[in-house]
Amino acid sequence: MKPRSFEYLRPASVDEAVEALARYGDDARILAGGQSLIPMLNFRLLEPLALVDIRHIADLSHIRLDGDMLEVGAAVTQNRLLSWPDLARHVPLLAIAMPWVGHFQTRNRGTVCGSIAHADPSSEIPLSLAMLGGEVVLQSPRGRRVLKADEFQTGMLSTAREADEMIVAVRFPTGSGKAAFREVARRHGDYAIVAVGAVSLSPSEILVGIGGAADRPVVRRYASNGGDLMSEIEALAWELETYEDLHASQRMRRDLVRRLAPAVISELRS
Amino acid sequence: MTDVQDQAARKEPSAREAAGAHARSGSKHVGKPLRRREDEALLTGAGRYADDLPVPPGTLVAHVLRSPHPHALIRGIDVAAALDLPGVSAVITGEDIAKLSDPFLVAVKEPIPQWSLAVERVRYVGEPVALIVASDRYVAEDAAELVEIDYEPLPVVIDPLEAVGPDAILVHEAVGSNELSRRDFVYGDPDAAFASADRIVKLDVEFPRHSYTPMECFVVVAEYRRAEQSYDVLANFQGPFSAHPVMARALRIPGSKLRLRTPPDSGGSFGIKLSVFPFIVLMGLAARIVGRPVKWVEDRLEHLLAASTGPNRITKVEAAVMNDGRIAGLRLDQLEDYGAYLRAPMPGPLYRMHGALTGAYDIRNLAVANRIVLTNKAPAALNRGFGGPQIYLALERIVQRIAVELGMDPLDVMRRNLIPAGSFPYRTAAGALYDSGDYPQAIEIATGDGRLEDLRRRRDEARAQGRLYGIGYAAVVEPGMSNMGYLSTLLPLAARERSGPKNGAVSMATVNIDPLGAVSVTADTPAQGQGHITVLSQIVADQLGLSPDEITVNLEIDTQKDQWSIASGNYSCRFSPGTAVAAHLAAQKIRDKLARIGAKQLNVLPEDVVLSGGKVRSRSNPDNALAFGRVAGTAHWSPIMLPEGVEPGLRETAVWSPPELEPPTSGDGINTSLTYGFVFDMCGIEVDPMTFQVRVDRYVSMHDAGALLNPLIAEGQIHGAFVQGIATALYEEFIYDEGGGFQTGTFADYVIPTVCEVPPLEIIHMESPSPFTPLGAKGLGEGNCMSVPVCIANAVADALGVTDVRLPATPRRIHDMLTRDEPEAGAGDAR
Amino acid sequence: MIEQKPKQRVTLTLNGRKVTGDAEPRLLLTDFIRHTLGATGTHVGCEHGVCGCCTVIIDGVAARSCLAFAVQMDGATIETVESLADEDGRMNALQEAFRRHHALQCGFCTSGILMSFTDFLRRNPEPSRDEVVDVLCGHLCRCTGYANIVDAVMDVVEAHAPPQRDIGAV
């Protein structure tokens, strides 16, 4: 279980980093926390010619409120954000969803943006970003562009990032209301079989997000006092293109949505 | 979680002290919860595991290339590109291995040859096909990608029932069948019992394939000494050393030319590290081929894929039952799946429990069919519990079914059938000689103090709220120290008579005292974390009147220099009834010798000499005393001062092989083990209808393991086995798809429970000392691996009102049990 | 890529001492610590970031050393289990508590667990039992059944916590 050879690059700036990406194209990978990337390298599932280590780039280590957005730089670890004292006030959903990300030891090194880049459909951070309608800031030698979460994540482990682009930051809208979150996994810290989040948008509207059930997070907006929420959820369960794996059948994923979503919504209302 | 840990935290040391009361009587150290002497090195990073030890200069590194196919012909292997890679010394294939070695010996006379690399054909995913030897592991893995193997895939057989069905694909064509062996046993008159029964209760159970995967994988460092034509190998092998002759025969050498050494520390084993033995042979051959020492460290992918597994078993069980709950007879049809090859000492799990097949119950009429099946899966071998979890899943599930069918409480069915108090030693139907115990009392104690009432109250309250709550019970007889003759029960009487009787379990330990009186101990048990150094030092210290920290214990084994026999090793709870006794006897021998030497110097009779407080003294006149070291030194410095008939030097080896371990009788009766402990578990579980997870609400485990040598370590063993039992019940399984592909190759798929998944455990002890060993101690390390899976299965059956409970009871399986047809899209609420 | 890359010089602080070694870019930090620097107290259990045996403290935070490359550590400060006892070899309070509570058996996973809690208790000296459990959840142990490990850590936590105020005196 040893990785194949690669070049190791440690650029001092974002410009240098994206230059390297431009040079290597698809053969380069950004290395930030490495908590998802390095297992795949050790399994020899990937064959990058170069790893571009961005952990040391000073411009990427910020946690910053910017207007109605919380911007998190690409070198910020999950635990750093989780221990940011104002997190629960500004982005309550993240504050309750992030403790479900991996373990203390992986959150110490794993980055917020790395989780977004990895785009696992079960992951809590991409689900949170999708629910809140956040943004991903990408940079390439051609400049910067900003994608909405649902434009960025295009499928299971796939994103709209171009080969010469790197995520420099993600932005979470602040000021959303109360949140509730719950997930089912085989073990605490495992990828969720199904994760459900709910956020109250206004007294009359809530957001419900589902992770783990389909190839990417699914977000729906419901009237919070609508009498037929249950049938909305039933309809949602069928709309999800659920998948089967070792731990759950397609049907079981639908059933988990049918059961978890009402529980999370009722927790939100309580 | 919190409850249990609070309880443990609050536990007064005196509770543990009390637990060791028996063993402590008349002894100063044995029976006490002495803190472990192993710990300081391990806690400071100074442990010496196999991969930490220095290797000879020039040592090369090996990487095993494994089959991606479950069944295929090897049409050709092109190693040229791999050999061209700088740093690669050799690429060894099955052809090379077959020239230099013979197939491993197996327990049945069938044509199922296996070498340490596949020859001509692969039969399971992960089977070693080639060995790359290179300057480092990174390069070796690069080279592995350059080896081109031309496989011709063949059809596969994975399901054991399909494998014994008509027109099955054959794993070994030369055998002509996948059912490698079948033996039918009859004890008492089961036909009559079934004919006169009020009712016959039947159940099929399926025990999963899984492994207790130690955190440290296999490590082998091998050298070949050309001048002596001998192999010198260090490996984290656990025993049994009956595998040593198997390795030596494969290498075509006398055993003395296979010097096998074990490292000071080993990172867990649980049965698994027996299966390093084919790699000991492989690396030895590799060292011979390349002319340099070769080191191999197994990685986790290899380990999960194919290191070892407990066998999966399908059991059909039928009980002849009277209306009062009495079980008049039992029929068992056990079909055990050993994967693609039968490796020594398989089929151990199918026979190791043979004498104890009726568990804790007084059932005199028994019919058993033992069937061995081969499939295209990794070979099975040792796994903690070793056949126990498999049999108790059948036995204790049928007890629960009997209760359901008769409308009785399962506890009442159990009580009706328990072996009565006062009937020990008790000879079971199949020949085991249970040494001691009081099963009814153990159950009374466990269910007492309001514990059972509390469980029932929890169930009633939960059910009143519409929740899915169930109670499970399990009674388990836990064997300790296997009779090495048990495996010969596999052979029919005539074959046994031809080959001569096999029996016994030879344990050995040596106590040595140096010229200044320092004591050192060696023994036949290479430890993997069980605290044996601590316990042996307690035992020897008691005999010599010293403190345990004055006793140096070295459990590294060197087969060229140390005492060992086929039973040596760490498995099947043989330490407390075996090696510990040998150490006790060796210490007694050396104590007696010291007493004779001291008697002469003290001018008293040897009978008057006691060893205590570092002195050799007169019992009747304690002031008449000499320092321990001075008396001991006499044997080295001044042989002239020794009493007549006392040999110089101070080194005593004791051999312990108890007479109760007899060969199988002509009627196939076999006393499979020396000691038989008792475990009674009861638990309450709740099935979460939202998440389909099983939550263990309360778990109580009652243990009677005879005298406890060190209660602190004993409880550690119980906690560890308990969590492994939880793993089997709810989490871990090796899964193959229909095409033979392996689905659980990483720790993300093979889900070992973490602390977050572990429920509270309440441990209760009683002590019925074994009359068959001088220390009175029985094994206790495996009981919960046997009891927990079925106890939880019984609770799930109770909670859901179902008959079939497949383990592990994963959310996916619970979901299948709980949900019926899914409403059509748009049909509204699915519930 | 099959072609090997040149080794790079890596200088870091290991347990308070500056050390130097050469590493190909792909060399895992575990292999560097164990085989290049010779600190074998850090163990390798899975090499895919699940078991936690290889946990060390990198620049102040506990992390899996199998999920990092040696070349990333140039200039870093790393602490391993070998750093915990004092110069005379006396074990620290956490190590002592592990021994007292029989919180280890084979000891293979223990180094990583000690390093996780070394980091965690520095930052959070008075955690709740649930928080301790949550951190331990990042480790696999096959021998102990975990209960004694939680007890050992809580023992250290409780010894550290200020004594309960006597309610009668308020």
Side-chain angles (χ1 to χ4, degrees):
Chain A
M1 279 188 74
K2 309 296 184 188
R4 298 182 180 117
S5 281
F6 51 79
E7 297 274 1
Y8 172 73
L9 307 172
R10 194 197 275 196
S13 67
V14 170
D15 286 344
E16 276 183 40
V18 296
E19 266 173 44
L21 289 181
R23 198 158 67 242
Y24 282 93
D26 278 335
D27 288 328
R29 289 272 172 164
I30 294 285
L31 172 61
Q35 303 300 288
S36 302
L37 176 65
I38 297 179
M40 292 198 289
L41 294 172
N42 292 358
F43 292 144
R44 296 197 172 210
L45 292 173
L46 298 174
E47 196 172 1
L49 297 182
L51 293 187
V52 181
D53 186 351
I54 61 165
R55 288 183 72 250
H56 303 274
I57 299 176
D59 292 351
L60 301 178
S61 61
H62 60 283
I63 299 173
R64 180 169 65 220
L65 283 169
D66 188 2
D68 56 357
M69 290 282 191
L70 173 70
E71 185 171 302
V72 179
V76 174
T77 64
Q78 293 148 5
N79 264 353
R80 240 192 88 204
L81 180 59
L82 197 50
S83 56
W84 186 59
D86 296 331
L87 187 66
R89 188 152 56 93
H90 292 296
V91 195
L93 177 62
L94 270 186
I96 58 169
M98 281 191 48
W100 294 85
V101 178
H103 297 287
F104 168 76
Q105 298 81 355
T106 59
R107 292 193 300 266
N108 268 342
R109 209 163 161 80
T111 61
V112 175
C113 289
S115 177
I116 300 291
H118 186 53
D120 189 291
S122 304
S123 290
E124 296 82 2
I125 298 174
L127 174 61
S128 302
L129 192 76
M131 286 178 64
L132 300 173
E135 297 168 351
V136 180
V137 184
L138 294 154
Q139 188 164 334
S140 72
R142 294 168 285 123
R144 276 194 178 209
R145 62 173 179 148
V146 176
L147 292 180
K148 299 294 276 183
D150 60 353
E151 298 167 332
F152 178 77
Q153 186 162 356
T154 56
M156 184 162 312
L157 307 180
S158 69
T159 70
R161 186 186 71 86
E162 299 288 340
D164 62 352
E165 284 182 313
M166 67 174 275
I167 300 178
V168 290
V170 290
R171 294 174 180 160
F172 296 91
T174 58
S176 60
K178 192 180 166 188
F181 186 89
R182 200 165 160 185
E183 69 177 47
V184 174
R186 287 299 305 280
R187 293 172 300 189
H188 183 66
D190 282 355
Y191 280 115
I193 296 172
V194 167
V196 176
V199 173
S200 86
L201 288 179
S202 69
S204 60
E205 234 184 351
I206 60 166
L207 272 180
V208 172
I210 312 287
D215 71 342
R216 72 195 86 172
V218 173
V219 184
R220 291 287 184 273
R221 192 181 280 249
Y222 298 120
S224 64
N225 297 318
D228 55 354
L229 202 51
M230 293 308 286
S231 51
E232 299 260 27
I233 287 165
E234 176 59 24
L236 173 61
W238 280 110
E239 277 167 49
L240 294 167
E241 289 180 24
T242 56
Y243 61 96
E244 172 165 9
D245 64 11
L246 212 52
H247 304 307
S249 62
Q250 291 182 299
R251 160 84 193 271
M252 180 172 156
R253 285 193 155 83
R254 283 193 293 274
D255 282 340
L256 284 170
V257 170
R258 289 176 176 121
R259 287 159 169 77
L260 281 181
V264 171
I265 291 167
S266 95
E267 188 188 327
L268 188 73
R269 286 168 170 167
S270 67
Chain B
M1 176 83 30
T2 312
D3 278 351
V4 118
Q5 284 155 354
D6 278 346
Q7 248 163 12
R10 280 199 304 269
K11 184 181 291 172
E12 298 297 325
S14 60
R16 281 180 176 149
E17 298 258 351
H22 170 80
R24 199 171 68 249
S25 67
S27 64
K28 201 164 171 200
H29 304 293
V30 170
K32 285 196 170 165
L34 189 73
R35 289 175 196 165
R36 298 202 322 166
R37 302 186 52 213
E38 291 87 342
D39 289 355
E40 186 161 341
L42 301 177
L43 285 163
T44 54
R48 289 174 296 150
Y49 302 88
D51 188 34
D52 302 340
L53 301 176
V55 295
T59 298
L60 296 170
V61 168
H63 172 61
V64 179
L65 179 56
R66 291 165 183 273
S67 169
H69 297 287
H71 198 188
L73 290 175
I74 303 171
R75 286 197 295 219
I77 302 181
D78 183 351
V79 303
L83 277 175
D84 279 349
L85 192 70
V88 175
S89 295
V91 180
I92 296 165
T93 67
E95 215 174 301
D96 305 319
I97 293 302
K99 277 181 208 152
L100 293 175
S101 64
D102 289 330
F104 295 112
L105 295 172
V106 290
V108 295
K109 286 193 166 38
E110 292 288 350
I112 47 168
Q114 188 191 15
W115 286 264
S116 54
L117 287 177
V119 174
E120 292 170 4
R121 185 188 286 242
V122 291
R123 293 184 171 88
Y124 62 95
V125 170
E127 181 165 3
V129 175
L131 187 77
I132 293 107
V133 184
S135 54
D136 72 55
R137 180 62 173 256
Y138 293 75
V139 170
E141 292 192 24
D142 291 345
E145 297 194 76
L146 298 173
V147 176
E148 290 194 17
I149 304 176
D150 182 8
Y151 289 108
E152 180 183 327
L154 298 170
V156 303
V157 58
I158 295 299
D159 178 59
L161 290 175
E162 202 178 292
V164 294
D167 304 323
I169 302 299
L170 294 179
V171 180
H172 293 266
E173 284 172 352
V175 179
S177 166
N178 293 318
E179 191 172 305
L180 197 62
S181 155
R182 179 190 173 114
R183 279 224 65 199
D184 290 276
F185 302 90
V186 175
Y187 305 96
D189 191 349
D191 287 345
F194 275 82
S196 59
D198 290 332
R199 179 189 288 260
I200 294 170
V201 179
K202 300 182 181 184
L203 187 69
D204 291 358
V205 298
E206 209 168 328
F207 192 85
R209 194 163 248 260
H210 71 112
S211 151
Y212 291 132
T213 53
M215 295 322 297
E216 182 201 38
C217 295
F218 297 161
V219 180
V220 181
V221 184
E223 283 184 77
Y224 180 67
R225 303 199 191 288
R226 200 165 298 281
E228 300 153 17
Q229 294 169 31
S230 73
Y231 298 87
D232 186 343
V233 185
L234 175 99
N236 49 7
F237 176 70
Q238 68 148 57
F241 280 70
S242 56
H244 189 277
V246 174
M247 292 184 271
R249 286 284 288 274
L251 289 166
R252 301 173 180 159
I253 49 168
S256 57
K257 289 189 183 290
L258 171 58
R259 180 182 189 182
L260 176 60
R261 293 176 295 123
T262 63
D265 294 305
S266 181
S269 188
F270 319 113
I272 309 306
K273 284 174 176 165
L274 157 76
S275 298
V276 69
F277 86 80
F279 297 96
I280 292 173
V281 168
L282 179 59
M283 300 309 150
L285 293 171
R288 179 172 166 185
I289 289 168
V290 300
R292 303 253 296 266
V294 171
K295 176 174 179 177
W296 173 65
V297 179
E298 182 192 45
D299 70 32
R300 185 56 65 183
L301 291 186
E302 301 180 87
H303 188 90
L304 289 171
L305 187 62
S308 189
T309 170
N312 47 307
R313 183 187 294 182
I314 295 171
T315 306
K316 290 178 182 300
V317 53
E318 296 180 11
V321 177
M322 309 313 288
N323 281 333
D324 65 355
R326 194 165 54 81
I327 303 171
L330 202 61
R331 286 192 182 125
L332 294 166
D333 179 338
Q334 310 191 99
L335 179 68
E336 189 136 278
D337 176 3
Y338 283 93
Y341 299 93
L342 198 68
R343 275 186 189 155
M346 296 302 102
L350 197 51
Y351 284 89
R352 178 255 187 152
M353 297 296 298
H354 197 82
L357 284 174
T358 43
Y361 306 119
D362 186 23
I363 302 172
R364 304 308 311 173
N365 304 303
L366 173 68
V368 190
N370 277 350
R371 301 193 286 152
I372 297 171
V373 60
L374 298 184
T375 59
N376 290 116
K377 302 208 256 317
L382 278 63
N383 195 39
R384 193 174 186 176
F386 203 50
Q390 287 90 337
I391 180 61
Y392 288 117
L393 182 65
L395 191 59
E396 295 302 287
R397 282 290 298 121
I398 199 75
V399 167
Q400 194 263 353
R401 286 303 308 160
I402 291 167
V404 170
E405 292 203 15
L406 293 178
M408 291 175 67
D409 187 301
L411 264 182
D412 290 332
V413 177
M414 295 170 102
R415 288 185 179 117
R416 183 90 66 218
N417 290 287
L418 285 177
I419 294 166
S423 43
F424 293 87
Y426 172 90
R427 184 72 73 176
T428 66
L433 186 65
Y434 290 177
D435 47 348
S436 63
D438 186 340
Y439 304 165
Q441 195 202 350
I443 291 182
E444 291 322 302
I445 294 172
T447 54
D449 279 344
R451 279 181 285 265
L452 179 60
E453 285 156 41
D454 175 69
L455 269 187
R456 286 177 172 157
R457 183 183 53 75
R458 286 166 187 247
R459 178 170 67 178
D460 293 346
E461 285 174 10
R463 287 185 173 174
Q465 295 167 13
R467 285 151 51 201
L468 302 169
Y469 196 105
I471 294 177
Y473 306 96
V476 156
V477 171
E478 178 182 6
M481 188 155 87
S482 294
N483 181 349
M484 298 308 278
Y486 77 76
L487 203 53
S488 61
T489 321
L490 166 73
L491 303 173
L493 179 61
R496 288 204 301 266
E497 283 176 343
R498 275 198 302 278
S499 63
K502 302 265 192 312
N503 78 303
V506 177
S507 299
M508 295 179 176
T510 298
V511 180
N512 186 71
I513 305 180
D514 83 357
L516 295 179
V519 180
S520 60
V521 178
T522 61
D524 64 359
T525 160
Q528 300 103 19
Q530 299 92 336
H532 291 174
I533 287 177
T534 301
V535 177
L536 291 176
S537 71
Q538 289 174 274
I539 290 169
V540 173
D542 266 351
Q543 293 304 315
L544 301 184
L546 299 172
S547 82
D549 56 16
E550 291 176 281
I551 315 294
T552 297
V553 181
N554 182 332
L555 297 179
E556 297 161 55
I557 286 186
D558 179 336
T559 58
Q560 263 184 359
K561 297 171 71 181
D562 293 325
Q563 66 285 312
W564 66 276
S565 181
I566 53 166
S568 300
N570 252 352
Y571 59 93
S572 296
C573 286
R574 72 174 285 273
F575 176 76
S576 296
T579 303
V581 174
H584 173 77
L585 298 176
Q588 275 185 340
K589 280 168 88 172
I590 215 157
R591 179 202 66 190
D592 291 348
K593 183 167 177 177
L594 284 169
R596 291 175 68 190
I597 297 169
K600 184 175 173 191
Q601 294 175 32
L602 295 169
N603 278 321
V604 297
L605 291 170
E607 294 74 27
D608 186 43
V609 174
V610 290
L611 276 59
S612 68
K615 301 272 192 199
V616 177
R617 66 176 93 232
S618 160
R619 192 191 314 268
S620 50
N621 175 15
D623 289 341
N624 184 16
L626 288 165
F628 180 89
R630 183 162 164 198
V631 176
T634 308
H636 293 282
W637 303 105
S638 319
I640 197 165
M641 288 174 63
L642 295 174
E644 201 179 320
V646 172
E647 284 182 355
L650 276 175
R651 182 181 184 87
E652 294 293 343
T653 296
V655 181
W656 162 246
S657 187
E660 289 81 8
L661 297 183
E662 296 171 317
T665 65
S666 56
D668 288 324
I670 175 71
N671 184 23
T672 29
S673 300
L674 178 66
T675 64
Y676 297 88
F678 182 67
V679 181
F680 172 75
D681 285 4
M682 61 178 187
C683 73
I685 65 101
E686 184 171 357
V687 174
D688 184 336
M690 184 184 303
T691 65
F692 312 110
Q693 286 164 327
V694 173
R695 181 182 66 84
V696 179
D697 182 46
R698 186 169 184 191
Y699 203 107
V700 176
S701 189
M702 167 82 210
H703 283 256
D704 183 350
L708 299 182
L709 301 175
N710 180 324
L712 181 71
I713 289 173
E715 289 206 354
Q717 289 293 310
I718 292 168
H719 274 289
F722 169 68
V723 171
Q724 292 184 336
I726 292 288
T728 311
L730 300 174
Y731 293 96
E732 296 176 20
E733 182 177 16
F734 287 140
I735 298 172
Y736 290 82
D737 62 26
E738 284 176 6
F742 187 64
Q743 304 289 298
T744 43
T746 74
F747 273 162
D749 308 308
Y750 187 76
V751 282
I752 295 173
T754 73
V755 65
C756 294
E757 284 72 50
V758 172
L761 170 66
E762 297 158 57
I763 301 170
I764 306 167
H765 295 288
M766 65 182 268
E767 296 186 52
S768 306
S770 173
F772 297 157
T773 98
L775 293 167
K778 308 184 183 188
L780 57 60
E782 297 180 282
N784 287 102
C785 293
M786 302 177 186
S787 60
V788 176
V790 66
C791 189
I792 288 181
N794 279 341
V796 170
D798 185 44
L800 302 182
V802 296
T803 304
D804 294 320
V805 180
R806 280 284 303 276
L807 298 182
T810 60
R812 187 171 179 160
R813 288 198 169 116
I814 297 286
H815 173 264
D816 288 348
M817 287 194 275
L818 276 184
T819 53
R820 295 190 180 79
D821 293 341
E822 189 173 18
E824 296 294 313
D829 191 344
R831 290 177 233 195
Chain C
M1 193 196 300
I2 293 296
E3 182 198 343
Q4 290 183 63
K5 300 295 172 194
K7 289 187 174 179
Q8 300 178 18
R9 177 58 50 95
V10 177
T11 300
L12 55 82
T13 304
L14 176 69
N15 300 332
R17 282 194 197 158
K18 198 169 157 185
V19 294
T20 296
D22 294 333
E24 238 194 295
R26 62 172 165 171
L27 187 74
L28 294 172
L29 178 58
T30 38
D31 288 332
F32 188 71
I33 291 172
R34 289 176 47 76
H35 300 300
T36 308
L37 302 180
T40 54
T42 299
H43 300 142
V44 178
C46 76
E47 291 183 307
H48 56 286
V50 182
C51 77
C53 290
C54 67
T55 304
V56 300
I57 297 178
I58 303 172
D59 291 330
V61 300
R64 320 286 206 210
S65 59
C66 73
L67 299 188
F69 297 107
V71 290
Q72 291 181 277
M73 297 299 137
D74 194 36
T77 297
I78 294 178
E79 298 161 73
T80 65
V81 66
E82 286 92 343
S83 69
L84 298 181
D86 70 15
E87 294 109 43
D88 299 326
R90 272 192 301 268
M91 295 196 291
N92 71 17
L94 186 64
Q95 291 168 308
E96 285 290 357
F98 268 58
R99 181 163 191 227
R100 212 162 45 243
H101 286 271
H102 187 28
L104 68 155
Q105 288 183 28
C106 82
F108 200 77
C109 68
T110 311
S111 321
I113 294 172
L114 290 171
M115 297 320 287
S116 276
F117 283 106
T118 298
D119 167 21
F120 181 69
L121 295 177
R122 272 179 198 161
R123 288 194 260 167
N124 191 353
E126 291 169 33
S128 67
R129 199 172 189 90
D130 286 347
E131 288 172 304
V132 166
V133 164
D134 188 67
V135 171
L136 183 56
C137 191
H139 291 272
L140 298 180
C141 167
R142 296 245 78 175
C143 298
T144 63
Y146 304 110
N148 289 347
I149 301 176
V150 178
D151 288 342
V153 176
M154 288 313 293
D155 196 345
V156 173
V157 169
E158 280 151 21
H160 175 276
Q164 294 286 308
R165 211 153 25 133
D166 182 352
I167 292 171
V170 173

